[in-house]
Amino acid sequence: ATVAIGNFDGVHRGHRALIREAKTEARAKRVPSAVMVFEPHPREFFHPNEVQFRLTTLKRKLAIFEKLGLDLVFVEPFDAELAALTAEAFIERVLVAGLGASHVVVGYDFYFGHNRGGNPELMVRAGDDLGFGVTVMPPIAEDGEVFSSTAVRLRLAQGDVKGVTHMLGEPWRVLGR
């Protein structure tokens, strides 16, 4: 598959650009399009006593991914074993041996592996060495503002519902009792 990797909290317009790129690459290579998300969010794993405000539950993300027409979703358990993997081991064990990824799409600010030792440049080099393609997406912005989960949270805190909807590409939703 062609796999877009990230946390995709909010599945905002920047995330959707990564997903579109993964789908475009998948069509060109005639392979399934996929995303890989981590559950729980790595911040929750590393800071279990801090309250983490997540924009999107896993259930909601899965519904959005389905609506966006992805073929597959890989939910990678984020645990002590995964957190201990070096960036190189993550690439070799998870992406190559585990998924057999033919192409990987990551954002310009994607850091991974033990102590965040991996970055987009390492992913590109590994792709060259191990035989998979890599697309590194630049920041996706409009009017000088980068679409990010942090920016969406800030707009929510300010009560800017229209701004949140614009950044997400659809209204933000809260589900629960």
Side-chain angles (χ1 to χ4, degrees), residues 7-8 28 33 44 66 122 166:
N7 291 309
F8 297 98
S33 60
E44 292 175 18
E66 183 176 13
L122 174 67
H166 178 73

Side-chain angles (χ1 to χ4, degrees), residues 34-173:
V35 294
M36 173 184 276
V37 297
F38 304 95
E39 192 63 33
H41 191 293
R43 263 193 319 253
E44 292 175 18
F45 174 82
F46 288 114
H47 306 285
N49 296 324
E50 293 179 17
V51 175
Q52 303 291 335
F53 175 56
R54 289 175 65 160
L55 295 166
T56 316
T57 63
L58 178 60
K59 182 178 179 179
R60 178 76 184 124
K61 281 184 211 179
L62 295 175
I64 294 169
F65 294 151
E66 183 176 13
K67 186 173 93 176
L68 293 176
L70 287 159
D71 298 311
L72 302 166
V73 177
F74 300 109
V75 180
E76 185 68 31
F78 199 93
D79 55 17
E81 184 179 342
L82 187 66
L85 287 181
T86 64
E88 294 83 2
F90 173 79
I91 292 168
E92 291 169 8
R93 293 183 196 168
V94 177
L95 297 181
V96 176
L99 300 181
S102 63
H103 196 92
V104 173
V105 181
V106 296
Y108 70 99
D109 58 351
F110 181 66
Y111 291 88
F112 62 100
H114 183 69
N115 289 330
R116 296 171 54 99
N119 58 30
E121 292 78 24
L122 174 67
M123 186 70 76
V124 169
R125 285 194 309 272
D128 289 343
D129 293 343
L130 299 172
F132 61 91
V134 178
T135 299
V136 178
M137 295 293 290
I140 306 300
E142 188 173 276
D143 298 327
E145 184 173 28
V146 174
F147 296 113
S148 72
S149 301
T150 300
V152 173
R153 284 188 200 91
L154 178 61
R155 288 190 181 224
L156 276 175
Q158 295 169 341
D160 181 4
V161 177
K162 285 183 180 178
V164 168
T165 299
H166 178 73
M167 293 193 95
L168 293 178
E170 65 179 49
W172 182 66
R173 297 183 175 127

